[in-house]
Amino acid sequence: MASGRPNQLFRNKTAKIAAIPMILTAMVVFIGGTGWTVVYSFTKSKLLPKLEWVGFDQYERLWSTNRWIVSIENLAIYGLSMLVLSFVLGFLLAALMDQKIRFENTFRTIMLYPFALSFIVTGLVWQWLLNPEFGIQQIVRNLGWESFTFDPLYNPDLAIFGVMLAALWQGSGLVMVLMLAGLRGIDEEIWKAARIDGIPTWKTYLFIIIPMLRPVFITALVLITSGIIRVYDLVVAQTSGGPGLATEMPAKYVYDYMFRAQNLGQAFAASTMMLLAVLVVVVPWAMMEFGGKKND
Amino acid sequence: MRLRSTIAALAVSAVLPAATAHATDLEVMHWWTSGGEAAAVAEFAKAFDATGNHWVDAAFAGPGEQARAIMVSRITGGDPMGAFQFNHGRQAEDLIEAGLLRDLTDIAEAEGWKDVVNPPSLLDGCTVDGRIYCTPVNIHSWQWLWLSHKAYEDAGVPVPTNWDEFVAAAPALKEKGILPMAVGQQSWQQSGLFNVLMSSLVPVEIFEKVYGDKDAEVAAGPEVARVFKAAADAREMSDGSTVQSWNEATNLVITGKAGGQIMGDWAQGEFSVAEQKAGSDYSCLPGLGVTEVLGTGGDAFYFPVLDDEEKSKAQAELAALLLKPAVQVAFNLKKGSLPVRGDIDLSTANDCMQKGLKLLAENKLVPDTNQLLTPDTTSQINDLFAEFFADASITPEDAQKRFADIIASAD
């Protein structure tokens, strides 16, 4: 063409025009809303937002509040164990499912079914199951084991794992399906080649299949971690943060201070800290993942 | 013939909506859902429907703090209901400041609320800058210890008459497998219990200094230390209590599975629903049988500013109606709370309510924490006691230190 290379900005015009509404939404709702929250976290807003600056007072109070610190610890314990367990469980289930078993469809449906339930329903079901008066503990006692004790939700040291049990039950089906889809995408030839070379099955999985499943793992990772950080409804339905502060979570702190305590400033400071924590993890990862590609 | 009847039916169906248009629907939000509470609120609905309007009941099944969150977000989000229940005090302060709630001063003057509302401090709780913004409907006091006669008979000890006897009887109950004290595992119940100990076990001035003047030195002082010691006793006595809501805990007392419960006079409603008789099936000790004072907390109705004129008119009718003597009697008898008018006859009230009425007449009253503290401070105190009651390793001294810090930063 005579005019040389067209301007980068005007390439794919139709696609770019079509994307404008989405770009605007993202700018206003996500970035605008986030900015507004951060700005107001430096004010002493109570029930309604007010621009009365107090500097870092809200943050100082936040980090000297025992409940916030406990919430962070809880999230760390819950997050780490949830992450590891749902990967292990999801992968194991998928690998078992991949053994050309009978009634695979039925099993797959059963495993995935809990995912169709909301966290509130999941929470209530597990609250009943773990209730010592009429849940699992009572059933086993009725069978004859009188001293059987299983009441994690009433034990401050175990309550967080009671919540995790429900989350695992709900979420591992999805991880399984993702992994299974990945496994089905692996070429049969690779298995044959590994078999001819005499590599044991577990080694094939660990050193050949799993590295090949990298994109699936990343999808699963994003889904699980976002689920972990925003965990709120499950806790509310199951324990409402109790016993004591044993299952308090940062998201619940934000909600409670925003609506119950009528202290927006404090809630915004807490949610800004949550955002910061996510950014610290996401930004380096995104730079590694997407920044590197340009050089290829 | 058939055509005529069709026309007639059409005519009727055309008239019907016109006829009901006079009755204005007013959505009323509240969190009264336990047996006694629901029966009481039905009295309001009945009286309001009788005026030709229609009470649209929007009950929220859950603790009041959650209900308040939803109400506030509806009002600030621009979808206000016709009327809503709050505890009168500082909970609505910001909504009033932002001009979202209706000024009821005209109605209050026309109805002469200033003369009939007793004690007058109730109306003060509704007043901001000289204007009245809410209708108080009842007086609730926290300072009651409810005791199950059955539990003490089973344990073979006499029914306690004060807090110290109650604590002393605990081991005998425990031996028989009876829970000495029922406490619901919700933070407002735990901090409420503490506030009762504070207003009952030490002189009333201490309560007023700590919560009214926010005096952190008193809060760290020896009297409050005694209260924390008693709270630690309560923690030990309620160890093993797994119930969540207050009425489940009251039910343990009703059925004799627990010795007693510290809970506001709204528990009275549960005893009446279960057809228990005060004095023979259960006892009530105002002020824990130590210092007989009652708090003057309670419920009030607030009315958001609405554009719809019909609805505003209905709001005014409802506001006036809530304080009418007949409505007050019907409502409070079912609810177990005390009426806000001093000039009505409540001779049909039972033993416990009579005790309350007597204290009210003698003016042995303390303000309610909701009138003195902002919701922000209240939540911090709630968090502290949620932790304190769940974790026996927190010493009373540590808890008191943190309590004093909260009071020092309160406004």
Side-chain angles (χ1 to χ4, degrees), chain A residues 47-48 61 66 244 260-261 263, chain B residues 65-66 94 98 376 379 386-387:
Chain A
L47 178 65
L48 302 167
R61 176 175 153 189
N66 197 34
R260 293 192 192 180
N263 190 342
Chain B
E65 42 186 19
Q66 248 172 53
D94 275 27
D376 189 26
S379 337
E387 215 184 328

Side-chain angles (χ1 to χ4, degrees), chain B residues 163 174 179 181 183 185 193 197 228-241 384-397 399:
Chain B
W163 171 256
K174 224 172 215 169
L179 188 68
M181 185 177 186
V183 180
Q185 306 285 313
L193 187 159
L197 295 175
F228 269 95
K229 180 93 203 351
D233 288 340
R235 175 169 72 186
E236 210 188 308
M237 287 163 73
S238 65
D239 186 32
S241 175
L384 170 63
F385 284 103
E387 215 184 328
F388 179 75
F389 273 90
D391 186 352
S393 70
I394 301 174
T395 62
E397 291 77 26

Side-chain angles (χ1 to χ4, degrees), chain B residues 102-345:
Chain B
R102 182 171 168 177
D103 184 345
L104 302 173
T105 315
D106 305 341
I107 304 162
E109 276 167 10
E111 296 282 321
W113 287 358
K114 277 224 160 74
D115 306 322
V116 294
V117 172
N118 176 59
S121 67
L122 286 180
L123 215 51
D124 295 346
C126 286
T127 311
V128 175
D129 298 331
R131 312 295 290 175
I132 293 170
Y133 289 92
C134 68
T135 318
V137 294
N138 59 6
I139 302 167
H140 269 311
S141 44
W142 256 101
Q143 289 74 4
W144 296 85
L145 175 58
W146 307 92
L147 296 164
S148 163
H149 284 201
K150 183 172 174 294
Y152 286 96
E153 262 163 41
D154 289 353
V157 283
V159 179
T161 57
N162 62 41
W163 171 256
D164 290 330
E165 289 178 30
F166 179 60
V167 177
L173 267 72
K174 224 172 215 169
E175 221 166 81
K176 289 274 184 258
I178 301 169
L179 188 68
M181 185 177 186
V183 180
Q185 306 285 313
Q186 286 170 349
S187 57
W188 67 271
Q189 297 179 49
Q190 294 155 340
S191 66
L193 187 159
F194 172 79
N195 291 338
V196 172
L197 295 175
M198 175 109 101
S199 65
S200 307
L201 298 185
V202 293
V204 179
E205 298 85 65
I206 302 293
F207 182 88
E208 279 161 359
K209 276 208 184 105
V210 172
Y211 288 134
D213 307 338
K214 325 280 187 301
D215 189 333
E217 266 174 48
V218 178
E223 283 93 353
V224 177
R226 255 173 63 207
V227 179
F228 269 95
K229 180 93 203 351
D233 288 340
R235 175 169 72 186
E236 210 188 308
M237 287 163 73
S238 65
D239 186 32
S241 175
T242 55
V243 288
Q244 291 281 333
S245 62
W246 68 266
N247 49 329
E248 285 175 81
T250 309
N251 197 42
L252 292 181
V253 178
I254 290 175
T255 53
K257 283 184 195 142
Q261 180 193 17
I262 289 181
M263 187 40 63
D265 51 14
W266 47 93
Q268 170 80 43
E270 298 305 298
F271 285 100
S272 4
V273 168
E275 293 181 354
Q276 294 247 315
K277 232 175 108 26
S280 57
D281 295 323
Y282 68 98
S283 289
C284 53
L285 300 176
L288 311 183
V290 185
T291 317
E292 297 206 343
V293 286
L294 292 186
T296 54
D299 301 296
F301 277 90
Y302 289 78
F303 301 87
V305 175
L306 296 178
D307 295 332
D308 189 329
E309 243 176 62
E310 288 284 310
K311 288 204 169 155
S312 303
K313 237 179 79 200
Q315 279 185 332
E317 279 180 47
L318 178 60
L321 177 92
L322 295 173
L323 280 181
K324 294 271 188 261
V327 177
Q328 276 287 308
V329 172
F331 173 76
N332 284 305
L333 282 179
K334 289 263 167 66
K335 185 86 162 56
S337 50
L338 302 177
V340 295
R341 299 178 67 118
D343 58 349
I344 51 179
D345 177 35

Side-chain angles (χ1 to χ4, degrees), chain A residues 46-48 50 61 66-67 70 127 132-133 154 156 236 239-240 243-245 255 257 259-263, chain B residues 65-66 69 72-73 76 86 90-91 94-95 97-98 100 242 244 375-376 379-380 383 386-387 390 402 411:
Chain A
K46 288 289 185 185
L47 178 65
L48 302 167
K50 262 187 247 156
R61 176 175 153 189
N66 197 34
R67 175 171 162 192
V70 172
Q127 190 205 51
E133 313 281 324
Y154 294 88
V236 168
T239 61
S240 36
L245 302 179
Y255 178 87
Y257 273 86
F259 294 107
R260 293 192 192 180
Q262 306 183 349
N263 190 342
Chain B
E65 42 186 19
Q66 248 172 53
V72 168
S73 62
T76 54
F86 255 34
R90 300 182 66 175
Q91 289 170 352
D94 275 27
L95 289 175
E97 249 172 59
L100 290 166
T242 55
Q244 291 281 333
D376 189 26
S379 337
Q380 285 176 282
D383 288 347
E387 215 184 328
R402 284 168 57 188
D411 54 7

